[in-house]
């Protein structure tokens, strides 16, 4: 054991960043039939670590310690489970202390297999993405529900049904065949997209951004781009999108955690290395005649990332991307973002007309940006009282301190 005494933030980071490696190492040994048991064993192993490490110190290899502990816990549970089938000699005979079995940090296909296991075609698309976030990324049911804008009970049911389907269909921890790749790759891309978004704009809490979630999504996507199965225009575009956003992430808030709008961000501080890498992947994504929502979102992000200044932003190009995106992947959020871009590119009167035309599509959208955009339109039209009412409505929908403070500031500016 080492001398350091870890805090809860350390365990939270370890769980989030290494969950996929831990789960894939155990799945490789026990198989998908034991998915529920593996998840429980990992959680229990972390509980033991939280109890022991502050007293005894952090192990030199914390990841391997967790894997060994979860392995032993799962074996114990299988031995004591009433009515369970005999445990195979192959599993029982393995000693958890053998280091060669738990090379969880070596570069293998395991992480990729993990992604595709969760996105097997026998599962409905929504269940695939939920399972990916839960099993490959370590999301809680609550976090997944927020990402989907769904009830926790709904997500719990999806996960239960997905795991039952994996057992009954005998799904293996395998890489997909060429004929299965497009469908399963689409689900993997969506899961990684939701993971990055949760980090880029946290759904609840004191902070707007959690860089470690964005970096986890980037790391998983980079692994995918380096694997033969991930060398596709869609994954290249997804990677470009992540990198363009990651380049600006440190300027999204000030030193006190307050939101900085794009026009107020210091572009000198944008990470040039991320921008260069993003441009390279964006170029790769355009080498074949394919177009996905990730191409269009990456194009929008690129317009912002490479504009010399806020005033020189190419709003006409951004609006054309949003119009294509609305046709290719329509949603109320895309419509709302297009209206926000209209406000910037064509002014408040045109944006108000667009908002009125889209009112039915946006009706029932429990997203604070809807009344916030409406408030900004009214503010620019000089209707301060209407703007304040909209901002007050937005306040009821925010979940982060940064968003709440931003809206309160706007209300104060209205006097």
């Amino acid at each position: 054991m080492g001398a350091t005494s870890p805090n809860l933030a350390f365990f939270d980071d370890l769980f989030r960043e290494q969950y996929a490696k831990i789960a894939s190492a155990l799945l490789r040994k026990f198989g998908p039939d034991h998915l529920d048991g593996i998840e429980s064993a990992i959680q229990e192993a972390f509980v033991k670590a939280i109890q022991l490490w502050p007293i005894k110190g952090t192990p030199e290899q914390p990841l391997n310690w967790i894997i060994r502990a979860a392995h032993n816990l799962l074996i114990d549970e299988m031995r004591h489970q009433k009515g369970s089938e005999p445990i195979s000699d192959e599993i029982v005979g393995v000693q958890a202390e053998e280091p060669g079995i738990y090379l969880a940090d070596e570069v293998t296909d395991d992480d990729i297999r993990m992604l595709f296991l969760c996105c097997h075609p026998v599962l409905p698309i929504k269940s695939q993405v939920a399972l990916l976030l839960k099993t490959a990324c370590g999301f809680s049911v609550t976090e997944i529900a927020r990402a989907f804008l769904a009830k926790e009970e709904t997500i719990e049911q999806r996960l239960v049904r997905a795991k039952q389907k994996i057992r009954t269909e005998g799904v293996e921890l395998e890489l997909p065949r060429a004929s299965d790749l497009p469908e399963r790759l689409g689900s993997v891309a969506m899961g990684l997209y939701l993971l990055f978004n949760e980090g880029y704009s946290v759904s609840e809490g004191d902070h707007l951004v959690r860089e470690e979630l964005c970096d986890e999504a980037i790391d998983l996507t980079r692994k995918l781009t380096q694997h033969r199965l991930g060398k596709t225009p869609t994954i290249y575009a997804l990677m470009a999108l992540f990198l363009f956003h990651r380049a600006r992430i440190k300027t999204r808030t000030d030193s006190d955690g307050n939101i900085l709008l794009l026009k107020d961000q210091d572009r000198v501080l944008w990470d040039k290395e991320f921008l260069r890498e993003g441009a390279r992947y964006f170029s790769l994504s355009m080498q074949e005649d394919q177009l996905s929502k990730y191409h269009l979102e990456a194009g929008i992000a690129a317009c912002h990332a490479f504009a010399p200044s806020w005033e020189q932003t190419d709003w006409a190009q951004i609006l054309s991307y949003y119009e294509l995106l609305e046709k290719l992947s329509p949603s109320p959020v895309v419509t709302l973002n297009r209206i926000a871009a209209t406000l910037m590119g064509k002014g408040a009167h045109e944006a108000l007309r667009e908002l009125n035309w889209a009112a039915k599509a946006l009706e029932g959208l429990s997203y604070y940006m809807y009344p916030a955009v409406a408030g900004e339109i009214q503010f620019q039209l000089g209707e301060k009282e209407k703007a304040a009412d909209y901002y007050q409505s937005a306040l009821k929908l925010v979940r982060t301190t940064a968003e709440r403070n931003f809206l309160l500031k706007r209300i104060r500016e209205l006097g």
Side-chain angles (χ1 to χ4, degrees):
M1 292 282 182
T4 59
S5 180
N7 55 27
L8 288 178
F10 171 87
F11 289 107
D12 184 59
D13 291 342
L14 182 65
F15 183 88
R16 178 70 73 190
E17 294 169 7
Q18 305 296 343
Y19 187 92
K21 290 182 178 180
I22 299 166
S24 64
L26 295 171
L27 276 167
R28 179 174 24 160
K29 190 63 196 173
F30 294 96
D33 282 353
H34 298 284
L35 190 53
D36 275 330
I38 287 170
E39 290 180 354
S40 298
I42 293 173
Q43 291 172 0
E44 191 173 347
F46 268 93
V47 170
K48 287 184 175 296
I50 291 171
Q51 294 170 341
L52 293 176
W53 294 2
I55 299 172
K56 297 185 176 181
T58 306
E60 292 183 4
Q61 296 181 317
L63 182 60
N64 282 352
W65 190 101
I66 294 290
I67 294 173
R68 285 196 296 269
H71 174 279
N72 292 340
L73 288 165
L74 187 54
I75 289 291
D76 289 342
E77 177 61 26
M78 292 169 69
R79 281 174 171 154
H80 291 93
Q81 198 173 53
K82 293 181 179 179
S84 63
E85 296 180 1
I87 304 173
S88 70
D89 292 340
E90 179 186 359
I91 292 177
V92 175
V94 172
Q95 296 299 315
E97 288 72 17
E98 293 181 28
I101 297 167
Y102 298 107
L103 298 178
D105 55 350
E106 68 183 344
V107 179
T108 68
D109 284 343
D110 279 352
D111 290 333
I112 306 302
R113 285 193 177 95
M114 189 73 165
L115 294 177
F116 283 105
L117 166 70
C118 298
C119 300
H120 198 281
V122 301
L123 304 175
I125 180 66
K126 290 184 178 179
S127 296
Q128 291 177 19
V129 178
L131 190 65
L132 174 63
L133 294 175
K134 180 72 169 68
T135 304
C137 302
F139 266 38
S140 69
V141 171
T142 301
E143 289 171 318
I144 299 171
R146 290 175 193 151
F148 275 116
L149 301 178
K151 294 180 179 179
E152 292 185 27
E153 294 81 3
T154 302
I155 299 301
E156 192 69 62
Q157 290 170 4
R158 283 181 197 169
L159 291 169
V160 169
R161 287 195 293 267
K163 292 170 186 176
Q164 288 175 342
K165 193 73 171 176
I166 285 175
R167 286 193 295 269
T168 57
E169 295 289 338
V171 173
E172 299 292 338
L173 188 65
E174 60 184 7
L175 295 174
R177 295 170 297 184
S179 59
D180 296 333
L181 183 59
E183 182 180 8
R184 293 174 69 178
L185 201 59
S187 298
V188 169
M190 179 56 71
L192 294 169
Y193 178 82
L194 289 172
L195 173 61
F196 184 91
N197 280 354
E198 177 61 23
Y200 191 72
S201 185
V202 175
S203 50
E204 189 167 7
D206 293 334
H207 304 287
L208 182 71
V209 173
R210 287 187 62 182
E211 289 184 34
E212 70 275 12
L213 298 190
C214 296
D215 290 339
E216 182 178 351
I218 289 173
D219 288 344
L220 288 171
T221 308
R222 184 177 282 111
K223 285 182 181 179
L224 199 52
T225 64
Q226 294 167 352
H227 195 278
R228 60 182 177 81
L229 297 178
K231 296 181 182 295
T232 70
T234 296
I235 300 303
Y236 289 146
L238 183 70
M239 187 65 174
L241 172 62
F242 291 169
L243 292 166
F244 288 148
H245 283 318
R246 183 63 179 83
R248 298 189 283 110
I249 204 168
K250 290 186 181 299
T251 63
R252 294 194 66 222
T253 57
D254 63 18
S255 58
D256 295 322
N258 297 311
I259 292 175
L260 290 175
L261 297 177
L262 195 58
K263 65 184 179 67
D264 299 321
Q265 294 175 16
D266 186 350
R267 294 169 185 248
V268 174
L269 299 178
W270 290 357
D271 193 304
K272 304 300 187 295
E273 186 57 38
F274 281 130
L275 291 178
R276 281 192 291 269
E277 189 182 6
R280 181 173 67 83
Y281 277 107
F282 195 44
S283 177
L284 287 172
S285 78
M286 305 297 287
Q287 291 181 1
E288 296 183 30
D289 188 20
Q290 292 185 27
L291 183 66
S292 68
K293 62 172 285 186
Y294 308 115
H295 284 86
L296 297 171
E297 291 194 28
I300 293 166
C303 286
H304 289 302
F306 294 106
S309 67
W310 170 258
E311 292 74 20
Q312 294 172 279
T313 302
D314 190 346
W315 290 108
Q317 182 64 62
I318 289 173
L319 277 169
S320 70
Y321 280 135
Y322 271 123
E323 288 165 2
L324 283 172
L325 184 59
E326 205 167 16
K327 293 176 182 177
L328 183 65
S329 183
S331 77
V333 173
V334 171
T335 298
L336 183 61
N337 285 333
R338 178 181 58 77
I339 293 170
T342 300
L343 176 64
M344 300 301 145
K346 296 184 178 181
H349 289 286
E350 183 63 26
L352 182 59
R353 281 193 289 270
E354 294 283 351
L355 188 68
N356 290 335
W357 288 336
K360 188 173 182 179
L362 297 173
E363 186 178 353
L365 182 63
S366 298
Y367 180 38
Y368 91 94
M369 282 301 296
Y370 177 23
V373 169
E376 186 63 25
I377 292 172
Q378 294 297 337
F379 175 76
Q380 293 195 22
L381 289 171
E383 299 286 350
K384 292 187 177 182
E385 188 174 342
K386 290 182 180 180
D389 288 341
Y390 277 118
Y391 286 137
Q392 290 288 357
S393 297
L395 269 176
K396 298 175 183 177
L397 298 174
V398 297
R399 291 188 172 183
T400 71
T401 303
E403 292 164 346
R404 178 173 296 279
N405 289 341
F406 172 77
L407 290 170
L408 288 172
K409 179 183 178 184
R410 299 297 281 160
I411 292 170
R412 286 195 299 272
E413 289 171 350
L414 292 172

